[in-house]
Structure formats: structure tokens, C-alpha cells
Amino acid sequence: MTERIFNFSAGPAVLPEPVLQQAQRDLFALPGVGMSVLEISHRSAAFEQIIAEAEADLRKLIGIPDNYKVLFLQGGASMQFTMIPMNLLAKGASADYILTGSWGQGAIKEARKLGTVREAATTADTNFNRLPASLNLDANAAYLHFTSNETIFGVEFQDEPEAGAPPLVCDMSSNFISRPIDVTKYALIYAGAQKNAGPAGATIVIIRDDLLERVPENLPAMLDYKNLAKNGSMYNTPPCFAIYICGLVFKWALNEGGLEKIQARNAEKAKVLYDAIDGSDNYYRGHAEKDCRSLMNVTFRLPNEDFEKKFVKEATAAGLDGLKGHRSVGGLRASIYNAFPKAGVEKLVQFMSEFRKNNG
Ligand code: PMP
């Protein structure tokens, strides 16, 4: 079998090896079904069971109460940037957005096309390297939107912002199922699957029932939460294979001991890397301030851009792939999602130490 290298990609990203192995084993014919998951009808009993089990396992993993619906949709997290205001921002109302990076900016940009929105806070003035010190909240806002982990800048909320009365809406794409959360603090959570949850193609939406009451009449059917919820994510053909893989990932996460265990492991891995950055006499400089450093996406710079290019090139050659940072931050980004092995972090830290010695 082809050997695997260490994959630091921000997403699509590394998946748990046992998941890939099971998918490979069962791809030709699902046990007891005799057909591939790629071939069966989404209306078949076999697929009904796959999606029901994926949902049940996700509910168990996160602790999703009964008064929330779980939807498996298409269109990516980006489609949610549109669906949220379309469904939840009534005419004449206003929604608040906290901007801690490019994805929050993307979300508010789409919402602006559909209604009135306000910036409750932005950290753009320091190139999104921190969390806002305070929020300027509208107590009557239709909802408060935030991005729990800004994938590009590597800035992560440690806790939910205090929303007050407005329902809290969260883009959790890049730290979904990476730590325990109290779902009851949220009205809506959404996440593109392709970081911690599975492959690209499925987007998970967790929505509290009372929000469905707000959905206006006559929305396009495919953009209408009420319609999608009523049809159990199967108004049309859902992303069957992506949902199947997500289901395997949820089972894997439960088998690993659940989100507390996974969080502890994530914290341990991130500490190894941040300690290496902090202990480098400023050779490596983290982008995010220490109190909001992401456990998922570790962003850092080198003394100059030539070194950064050289680092990426040599790291890639050494089997450390996907470390080039996003152009809006520059430098490097090591994405170390749930399934990323600690051995890969250790190898990177070793590589960083040697690179510094050779390029001091
Ligand atoms: N939000 C966040 C936090 C993301 O990291 C991403 C993708 N990297 C998106 C939204 C957009 O997701 P998608 O490509 O699924 O539309």
C-alpha cells in the first residue's frame, strides 16, 4: 500500500485512518447489502439506516437535545452564509455579526445582500490576530453570528460570546467536534464537513426547532430550512457518500472516547507546536495572540518571506505537506485537526528546529 505522509491541509483535510480503511474495505460492497454505498438509492433501507445512524451518533457525540434538528446539506458552509439571513432575517429586522476573520467577513457580505446587518465587533484593524475586547450588541437583533474558529488566521473563541437575548448562530466549520460544547447556548450551528467531520460535499446544520417557525413562506425549496428539516435532509438526493463517511468519523470519535478525550489530545498536540514557536527566540512568530490561539490551525511567520518559501519547499520534500499559509496572513499554517497524528506534530517541531539551525 502507498505510504501516507503528514497532511497539514486546512481542508479538505486528514481523516482518521480507520475510517479510510473501513471505507476502502466496504466500498466494493457494503456488508449485508451487496452493493457499494456509491450505488444505492438514497431512498433504500440501507441508506436510511446510514443517515439515521450518522445523525444518532452525532447527537450522542455532541449531546444534541431533541428540540434541535440535524441536517446534512450541500453547498458548503458558504451556502449557509446565504441561507441564514434568507431564513432567519425578516424584513425590517437587523442581524449582528462578530468579525474575527475572512470567513466572518464572507458571511456578513452575503447577509448584506439580503437584509440589514451590523458589525457587533471586528478585529480587522490588527489583521484578525485577536478576539474583540467588547461587543456592541443590538438587544433586538434577529441573531448574533460568529465564527468559532477562523481557519485562515488561526483565531479561536475559547467560549461562546455572550449573546444576550438574540439567538446565537455559529460557523463552526473548522473546530466542529474538536471539543465539547453546550448546544443549548446555540440556536444554529453549521459546519462544512471537510475538516473534522468528513469529506467535502456535506454541510451539517444543527438548528433549534423554534427557529424554523421564522422561516418565511415561499423560499426556494432547496434553501428553506423548514422544507429540508421536514424531509429529513432528503428533499432531494443528499450527498450520500459524504454522509456515509461523516457517519464513520462520528463512530470513530465515539470510539476514541468522545469530545473530552479528543479535546485533550488536540490541546496536547497544539501545545507541542506553540511551545516550539514560543521557544524559538522569536525566529518563529505566531500570528494569533496567545489567549485565542487555535488548537486546529496554527499560524506563524518566519524572519522573512524567502525563508518561508524555503521552509515550505523543504518541509514538503520531507513529507510534511500543506504548510503554506493563506496569502492574507502569509507565512505558514499547520492545520492539526482531530485526525492529525501527534507524530506529525513532533516531526514538524523537529523540522522547525533543524531549519532554524541551518537558516539562522
Ligand atoms: N467557514 C469557515 C470557518 C471555513 O474554514 C470555510 C472553509 N475553509 C468556510 C466557511 C467555507 O466553507 P465551504 O468551502 O464549505 O463553503
Side-chain angles (χ1 to χ4, degrees):
M1 201 189 288
T2 312
E3 207 182 310
R4 283 166 63 78
I5 59 171
F6 291 116
N7 175 8
F8 290 91
S9 167
V14 60
L15 288 168
E17 288 191 2
V19 166
L20 296 177
Q21 283 154 353
Q22 182 173 348
Q24 185 186 38
R25 251 191 338 265
D26 294 348
L27 189 70
F28 192 67
L30 279 171
V33 178
M35 295 175 277
S36 171
V37 65
L38 296 170
E39 302 169 312
I40 56 175
S41 164
H42 61 294
R43 308 278 176 208
S44 64
F47 188 75
E48 296 258 2
Q49 193 186 330
I50 286 170
I51 192 168
E53 228 172 281
E55 177 177 337
D57 285 338
L58 182 63
R59 284 184 179 276
K60 193 156 135 199
L61 183 65
I62 312 188
I64 303 173
D66 290 343
N67 62 325
Y68 289 75
K69 297 281 184 291
V70 175
L71 308 177
F72 294 96
L73 307 180
Q74 304 195 51
S78 301
M79 178 82 101
Q80 295 310 307
F81 295 171
T82 301
M83 284 178 70
I84 288 161
M86 200 178 240
N87 282 265
L88 306 181
L89 182 54
K91 271 205 179 66
S94 168
D96 276 356
Y97 281 71
I98 301 174
L99 307 186
T100 51
S102 316
W103 294 112
Q105 283 182 313
I108 198 172
K109 185 171 163 215
E110 292 307 295
R112 243 182 220 125
K113 297 176 183 171
L114 294 162
T116 307
V117 291
R118 289 169 71 250
E119 286 184 13
T122 174
T123 56
D125 59 335
T126 56
N127 198 25
F128 298 119
N129 69 340
R130 61 190 169 90
L131 294 176
S134 62
L135 303 175
N136 166 20
L137 295 177
D138 170 5
N140 296 315
Y143 57 83
L144 172 65
H145 180 284
F146 78 111
T147 313
S148 53
N149 183 66
E150 278 284 355
T151 324
I152 290 176
F153 295 90
V155 166
E156 184 169 14
F157 277 84
Q158 309 301 305
D159 280 308
E160 297 78 13
E162 283 296 334
L168 191 58
V169 171
C170 179
D171 176 356
M172 212 175 272
S173 294
S174 52
N175 66 353
F176 189 62
I177 62 168
S178 71
R179 62 186 191 185
I181 53 161
D182 177 356
V183 175
T184 64
K185 292 185 176 167
Y186 298 83
L188 188 152
I189 294 167
Y190 66 102
Q194 67 272 20
K195 288 112 173 30
N196 273 326
T203 306
I204 294 151
V205 175
I206 300 168
I207 181 169
R208 206 172 59 211
D209 286 341
D210 59 282
L211 266 77
L212 296 173
E213 303 308 316
R214 291 195 194 187
V215 175
E217 294 299 317
N218 295 320
L219 285 187
M222 285 300 293
L223 301 175
D224 180 328
Y225 285 136
K226 213 165 160 174
N227 177 50
L228 295 162
K230 191 177 78 192
N231 289 284
S233 305
M234 295 229 257
Y235 176 73
N236 73 332
T237 317
C240 299
F241 185 69
I243 293 168
Y244 162 74
I245 299 287
C246 287
L248 297 185
V249 172
F250 302 151
K251 268 202 203 314
W252 169 81
L254 287 168
N255 278 337
E256 292 294 297
L259 296 186
E260 270 175 33
K261 283 260 169 58
I262 284 177
Q263 179 185 36
R265 221 159 53 192
N266 287 336
E268 207 181 293
K269 286 186 292 182
K271 184 175 185 313
V272 172
L273 197 38
Y274 284 121
D275 281 352
I277 291 169
D278 294 341
S280 72
D281 288 329
N282 232 22
Y283 185 86
Y284 298 108
R285 283 167 293 120
H287 176 74
E289 288 191 353
K290 288 188 181 171
D291 64 351
C292 60
R293 284 170 153 179
S294 170
L295 297 191
M296 301 281 99
N297 312 98
V298 178
T299 47
F300 59 101
R301 313 254 1 208
L302 270 67
N304 60 60
E305 286 187 17
D306 286 342
F307 280 176
E308 289 169 347
K309 280 193 195 122
K310 189 165 183 236
F311 185 105
V312 171
K313 198 166 160 216
E314 291 181 9
T316 307
L320 303 166
D321 194 78
L323 284 164
K324 189 174 182 317
H326 191 274
R327 63 186 177 282
S328 46
V329 187
L332 288 102
R333 171 175 55 174
S335 296
I336 48 173
Y337 296 116
N338 288 351
F340 191 89
K342 187 162 180 214
V345 176
E346 284 160 352
K347 184 166 173 186
L348 173 60
V349 164
Q350 179 67 30
F351 180 88
M352 286 165 73
S353 158
E354 278 161 26
F355 187 89
R356 183 180 157 209
K357 246 182 258 156
N358 298 334
N359 298 275

